[in-house]
Amino acid sequence: MANLIVMVGVAGSGKDTWIREEIQGSEKEGLYAIHSSDDIRKELFGSLTQEHNGVVFDTMRKRTFTDLEAGKNVIWNATNISRKTRASLYQEAKRKGHNVGIVYMSRSLDFLLKSNENRPEEDKVPVEVIKRMYTSLQIPREGADCDSMIMIGDAFFSEDI
């Protein structure tokens, strides 16, 4: 039985940074295979184009479950803002006997927009896309799309309420 860690967060929330700081370059580095939708896009298409999402995520899913079946722990790195998408991964992993955890990056819209401004030009996400992702993000729930979850970031409330 292996562990699947699903990263959840809007673009710019710090998923890659968390992986870099908590996994890569630490004693945990050899314990996880990291599968990133952005890395697969660059590998297959040479850019971060969103035109081939079906191919990207089919490739990512095949690699993930091949590694899990080989007993490797896996980090699934994409935005994963939809519960439906996460639940599908969760159900498949559970059917095959694996544990599923989520690392949820909880960030304010202000944080996300500032983070995006600081990205290299080729990695910037259109502001309207970040806003759409932010408003449509479905918060993970234990038992619905994971066995356990940790939240990184802030519990925040709008001052406009």
Side-chain angles (χ1 to χ4, degrees), residues 111-121 124:
F111 178 98
L112 297 168
L113 295 174
K114 286 179 183 172
S115 173
N116 193 52
E117 287 175 15
N118 293 327
R119 286 180 159 189
E121 199 59 42
K124 286 187 179 177

Side-chain angles (χ1 to χ4, degrees), residues 47-119:
S47 71
L48 292 175
T49 181
Q50 300 288 309
E51 296 171 15
H52 306 284
N53 277 340
V55 173
V56 168
F57 285 100
D58 284 347
T59 301
M60 193 167 165
R61 195 175 202 104
K62 287 175 187 168
R63 291 177 183 181
T64 293
F65 283 98
T66 296
D67 281 344
L68 288 170
E69 294 306 309
K72 295 179 188 173
N73 298 315
V74 174
I75 296 176
W76 175 283
N77 187 19
T79 57
N80 299 304
I81 61 174
S82 162
R83 181 170 293 118
K84 181 179 178 183
T85 301
R86 296 188 309 260
S88 172
L89 273 175
Y90 177 61
Q91 290 163 3
E92 185 173 354
K94 295 309 289 178
R95 267 194 316 275
K96 295 179 178 190
H98 306 295
N99 295 316
V100 180
I102 283 179
V103 176
Y104 168 46
M105 308 303 287
S106 175
R107 303 294 188 181
S108 69
L109 182 57
D110 186 55
F111 178 98
L112 297 168
L113 295 174
K114 286 179 183 172
S115 173
N116 193 52
E117 287 175 15
N118 293 327
R119 286 180 159 189

Side-chain angles (χ1 to χ4, degrees), residues 106-107 151-157:
S106 175
R107 303 294 188 181
M151 184 183 85
I152 308 294
D154 303 308
F156 55 87
F157 299 93

